[in-house]
């Protein structure tokens, strides 16, 4: 009589644990935050260079560009937006109404098709609009196609009813797309005769192939006050110039969009004047 062959499970406990960990991590994929967005002090807007988007924020509220809360994930999933298809720009409260949460997302062209949404127009912007109940509260989803082709969505949610007039006011006045990049901050408070041109040479080997920021701070003792900034294009020429006051000290800081310092230099106005005079002397003696 042939023996009954019994095959034992040959999977090791270590392999099973590895497979379990892989399953857990693949099912809990997090939503990435956009590397193309930034906020900057003294500018009440969030900017995103990928979609050329500018949105006014509330200076009194926190604009979160790093943490996605459970309610934010729930809002995205309620509109079937998956982590592999969208980048989160930021979450905050609506400037006109702090009881309304706002989550902004961005996706590549043609990633999503929003059926049964109402087409709307606000100034030069056209967008899709949908309102729905969410338990005792309400949600509103607004979707734009940016000038660069990216989709941009804003999800508004509240535990109670939402005042649509405030949403419409926000969409009309505070959401902007522009083919031009965003304006620089210029705040030099001395008359032209007391100013000097400061030529700033960023070391050419440090110039990044991504968008960056160049900021100038006025140094007052141990404090610094931002007076100028400009958004720089990828691989933009390393030299630039600003007008500053002759009798003050300044620090120029070159950073990425997350404000990580790449390079900086500090100078007083009299040093800048002396350097300018040396340049002019060398030019005249050619």
């Amino acid at each position: 009589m042939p023996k009954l062959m019994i095959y034992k499970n040959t999977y090791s406990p270590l392999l099973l644990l590895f497979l379990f960990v892989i399953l857990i991590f693949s099912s809990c994929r997090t939503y990435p935050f956009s590397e193309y967005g930034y906020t900057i002090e003294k500018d009440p807007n969030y900017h995103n260079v990928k979609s050329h988007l500018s949105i006014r924020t509330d200076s009194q509220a926190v604009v979160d560009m790093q943490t996605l809360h459970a309610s934010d994930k729930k809002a995205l999933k309620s509109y079937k937006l998956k982590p592999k298809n969208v980048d989160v720009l930021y979450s905050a409260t609506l400037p006109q109404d702090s009881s309304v949460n706002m989550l902004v997302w961005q996706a590549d062209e043609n990633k999503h098709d929003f059926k049964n949404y109402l087409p709307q127009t606000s100034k030069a912007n056209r967008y899709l609009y949908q309102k729905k109940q969410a338990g005792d509260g309400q949600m509103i989803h607004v979707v734009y196609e940016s000038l660069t082709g990216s989709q941009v969505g804003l999800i508004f949610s509240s535990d109670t009813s939402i005042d649509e007039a405030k949403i419409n006011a926000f969409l009309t006045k505070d959401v902007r797309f522009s083919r031009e990049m965003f304006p620089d901050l210029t705040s030099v408070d001395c008359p032209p005769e007391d100013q000097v041109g400061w030529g700033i040479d960023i070391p050419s080997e440090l110039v990044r192939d991504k968008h960056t920021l160049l900021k100038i701070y006025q140094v007052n003792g141990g404090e610094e006050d931002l007076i100028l900034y400009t958004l720089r294009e990828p691989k933009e020429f390393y030299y630039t110039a600003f007008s500053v006051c002759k009798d003050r000290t300044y620090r120029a800081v070159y950073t990425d969009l997350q404000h990580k310092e790449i390079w900086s230099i500090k100078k007083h106005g009299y040093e800048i004047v002396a350097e300018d005079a040396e340049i002019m002397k060398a030019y005249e003696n050619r």
Side-chain angles (χ1 to χ4, degrees), residues 20-256:
F20 178 73
V21 170
I22 292 295
L23 178 64
I24 291 296
F25 277 93
S26 63
S27 62
C28 298
R29 182 172 179 173
T30 58
Y31 288 87
F33 278 80
S34 172
E35 63 179 311
Y36 301 99
Y38 68 94
T39 59
I40 192 165
E41 56 204 279
K42 287 197 170 182
D43 184 342
N45 297 286
Y46 168 90
H47 302 297
N48 193 280
V49 298
K50 183 176 182 179
S51 55
H52 289 210
L53 168 70
S54 180
I55 305 180
R56 186 177 74 85
T57 60
D58 186 346
S59 59
Q60 303 303 316
V62 175
V63 177
D64 199 333
M65 300 168 59
Q66 296 182 333
T67 306
L68 197 65
H69 302 285
S71 58
D72 297 328
K73 295 178 183 178
K74 184 177 180 181
L76 288 163
K77 290 179 180 178
S78 71
Y79 290 104
K80 299 181 180 179
L81 297 169
K82 298 179 180 180
K84 64 180 180 180
N85 293 333
V86 301
D87 289 341
V88 177
L89 303 191
Y90 72 90
S91 63
T93 57
L94 181 69
Q96 287 84 348
D97 187 346
S98 61
S99 69
V100 178
N101 295 317
M102 180 174 65
L103 178 69
V104 189
W105 61 266
Q106 181 172 277
D108 292 334
E109 185 179 8
N110 297 326
K111 280 287 186 180
H112 306 92
D113 182 18
F114 296 96
K115 298 179 180 179
N116 303 319
Y117 279 51
L118 295 174
Q120 303 283 345
T121 301
S122 172
K123 287 188 177 180
N125 296 329
R126 292 180 58 83
Y127 57 89
L128 300 174
Y129 186 99
Q130 186 192 73
K131 179 181 176 180
K132 68 179 182 180
Q133 291 297 126
D136 295 331
Q138 291 180 335
M139 298 180 72
I140 292 174
H141 193 196
V142 175
V143 181
Y144 292 89
E145 182 174 325
S146 74
L147 297 173
T148 62
S150 300
Q151 284 183 325
V152 173
L154 295 86
I155 301 175
F156 305 94
S157 58
S158 177
D159 294 333
T160 59
S161 62
I162 296 177
D163 185 343
E164 290 186 77
K166 292 180 179 179
I167 300 295
N168 291 331
F170 175 76
L171 298 176
T172 299
K173 298 178 181 178
D174 302 321
V175 179
R176 299 174 299 281
F177 294 94
S178 174
R179 293 193 182 277
E180 301 296 327
M181 296 314 288
F182 315 110
D184 303 334
L185 170 68
T186 303
S187 178
V188 178
D189 60 353
C190 59
E193 59 269 22
D194 293 332
Q195 296 179 14
V196 61
W198 183 14
I200 300 171
D201 277 301
I202 302 169
S204 58
E205 68 275 13
L206 296 180
V207 174
R208 296 292 179 88
D209 59 358
K210 297 181 178 181
H211 283 92
T212 49
L213 295 167
L214 181 62
K215 298 174 278 188
I216 296 183
Y217 293 88
Q218 182 174 302
V219 181
N220 303 302
E223 298 183 355
E224 295 184 335
D225 182 34
L226 180 68
I227 62 164
L228 298 163
Y229 87 84
T230 185
L231 175 70
R232 294 177 58 83
E233 296 288 336
K235 297 184 179 179
E236 187 172 339
F237 187 60
Y238 56 86
Y239 180 86
T240 188
F242 294 99
S243 291
V244 294
C245 300
K246 296 177 182 178
D247 60 348
R248 302 179 194 173
T249 301
Y250 298 95
R251 189 167 77 98
V253 186
Y254 181 57
T255 76
D256 62 18

